[in-house]
Structures are given as C-alpha cells and as structure tokens.
Amino acid sequence: MKYKRILLKLSGEALMGERQYGIDPKRLEEYAAEIKEIHNKGVQIAIVIGGGNIFRGVSGASNGMDRVQGDYMGMLATVINGMALQGALEDAGMQTRLQTALEIKAIAEPYIKRRAVRHLEKGRIVIFGAGTGNPYFTTDTAAVLRGVEVDADVILKGTRVDGIYTADPEKDPSAVKYDTLTFEDVLNKGLNVMDTTAFTLSQENALPIIVFDMNKPGNLVKVCEGELVGTTVNN
C-alpha cells in the first residue's frame, strides 16, 4: 500500500444516501465495507465526518440563530455521525475509538493526540468528532489539523464527485477534470477544494490532499494502493 496512515474526510451529506436528511444505514454499510478492505491490508485509518446531514451552523445563523450556538450544534451533529459510523464499523468486525474535541465522557474519549496515535498503531480505527472544538472552524479544517497532528501521510476527501474540475461538473457539462494539481495551481485558478484555513494548513505542512468519489466501490483501496483515482493536490 502506498499510504500507511490516512485521514479520511467524509461529508455529513454523504451519509444521507438517497434520503433528504439524516443517516442511511445502507450507505453506512457500504462505507464500512470499503474501509474494512483497506483496514485488512494494514492501512491505519483516522476519520473525520461533517454534520451537514443533521445541522449546519451557517444556515442556522442566517435564520437569526447565533453563529457560535449554531456551530456548537453542528459539532454535536458530527458526534452523532461518528457514533453511527462507529457502530457500522464494529458490526463489520473492526475495532474503533471515537474521540471528541468536546468532552462527552459517556460516549467518547476526549481527544488526546498520543492516545489517538497509539490506537492507530494498534490497528484501531479512530473517528474524530466535534470538529476542532471551536466555532468558526469547519470539519475540513478539523480533518487537516488532526491529519497533521497524527502524522497522516495523506488527506483523502471522499465526495460524490470523482475529483476536482475546472467548474462544477453537476452544473457545467463542459467542465474538465484535473488529475494532479499543485497547491499554487488551486489558489491561482480559484478552485474550491477545501475552505481556505484547511487548505493553507495542508499546504504549510506539505500534506497532500486527494479528492475522489467515495461512492464508487473499490475507489478507496485504489487510492491507498497509489492508483491515479480522483485528483491529487500536492506541492
């Protein structure tokens, strides 16, 4: 396998499957099967999930809710998603640990870097919930931050699109896909890969990002084997 330790970033919306909101158990099973395949090949796996399928702080703020309050609600949504994925992974026979940036001792460990690394070394899958624990920071930023902290080899951003395009391929049929990009290319072309804070943190730490279609069976293992799947952003 090309990568020994990965940070997999999943969007909350991805867990909806064909639903309008919430969590689709079938999609969880599919993701668990994909993750088990690379786990069995010895890849150490850390995961960050968004909370957009349950609550998004920005939309709450636009409806008159305090932004900070909304963001904390979003963090709790990521914990719910983390628990759901944890259950699916354990049903598939894997050992997991859920660590959260906000202390919720009844259901998860508090985030401690050394403990997280030790879990990874023992072959446990570590799910990081509650983002960074701070409002105004996205789960993209949390993913890169945790990836840097646990010394991941790469950030794998699993989406419903098979890479980065010149424009939104769902809106513009003439959009062209990039196979590889540099961090400078992304900035110069104004491409939307991650939010600016996350992207800058990844660039400063020379942590590559691969954007790929998580919903296509087999893609995750192909990425970890080093096949050119999706779009790779590197220095």
Side-chain angles (χ1 to χ4, degrees):
M1 305 300 280
K2 181 176 181 180
Y3 303 110
K4 181 184 178 184
R5 181 177 294 166
I6 66 164
L7 189 297
L8 177 62
K9 169 62 169 63
L10 300 173
S11 71
E13 286 88 344
L15 299 187
M16 293 190 297
E18 300 302 318
R19 302 184 176 197
Q20 298 299 311
Y21 59 88
I23 300 169
D24 180 2
K26 184 172 179 292
R27 177 57 54 83
L28 280 177
E29 283 179 21
E30 292 168 356
Y31 281 1
E34 294 290 310
I35 292 166
K36 184 171 185 176
E37 192 171 355
I38 62 168
H39 181 262
N40 288 346
K41 291 178 180 288
V43 178
Q44 297 176 11
I45 308 159
I47 303 173
V48 170
I49 316 179
N53 57 321
I54 299 173
F55 190 87
R56 189 169 291 283
V58 176
S59 63
S62 66
N63 292 324
M65 179 178 287
D66 177 69
R67 169 65 189 270
V68 173
Q69 191 82 339
D71 280 356
Y72 277 117
M73 292 170 72
M75 289 178 218
L76 296 177
T78 70
V79 177
I80 293 171
N81 285 340
M83 292 175 69
L85 182 61
Q86 181 180 37
L89 293 172
E90 292 190 343
D91 285 346
M94 288 164 277
Q95 286 193 332
T96 69
R97 291 294 186 273
L98 175 61
Q99 291 196 345
T100 56
L102 301 174
E103 285 200 24
I104 316 176
K105 292 181 180 178
I107 57 171
E109 296 178 357
Y111 171 69
I112 299 171
K113 180 207 160 181
R114 290 176 184 273
R115 184 177 287 176
V117 170
R118 187 70 179 131
H119 289 322
L120 292 169
E121 289 171 345
K122 286 186 173 182
R124 296 167 184 150
I125 296 171
V126 182
I127 304 166
F128 298 119
T132 66
N134 302 288
Y136 295 98
F137 290 94
T138 66
T139 50
D140 276 349
T141 300
V144 177
L145 177 63
R146 296 291 181 248
V148 171
E149 287 180 310
V150 302
D151 200 23
D153 299 320
V154 65
I155 301 290
L156 302 184
K157 184 169 182 181
T159 67
R160 61 184 181 186
V161 181
D162 63 341
I164 302 168
Y165 284 75
T166 52
D168 187 343
E170 294 181 347
K171 297 177 182 175
D172 183 356
S174 65
V176 178
K177 181 189 160 200
Y178 295 105
D179 288 331
T180 58
L181 288 162
T182 66
F183 287 106
E184 290 297 327
D185 287 337
V186 172
L187 293 171
N188 293 337
K189 296 175 188 294
L191 301 172
N192 185 22
V193 180
M194 286 182 162
D195 70 81
T196 309
T197 307
F199 189 78
T200 304
L201 188 59
S202 191
Q203 182 182 23
E204 287 176 350
N205 290 277
L207 184 58
I209 302 168
I210 300 178
V211 180
F212 72 105
D213 183 358
M214 181 68 186
N215 296 335
K216 185 176 180 182
N219 265 1
L220 183 58
V221 71
K222 287 177 183 176
V223 171
C224 291
E225 286 174 342
E227 284 192 40
L228 191 59
V229 175
T231 303
T232 302
V233 183
N234 210 338
N235 278 333

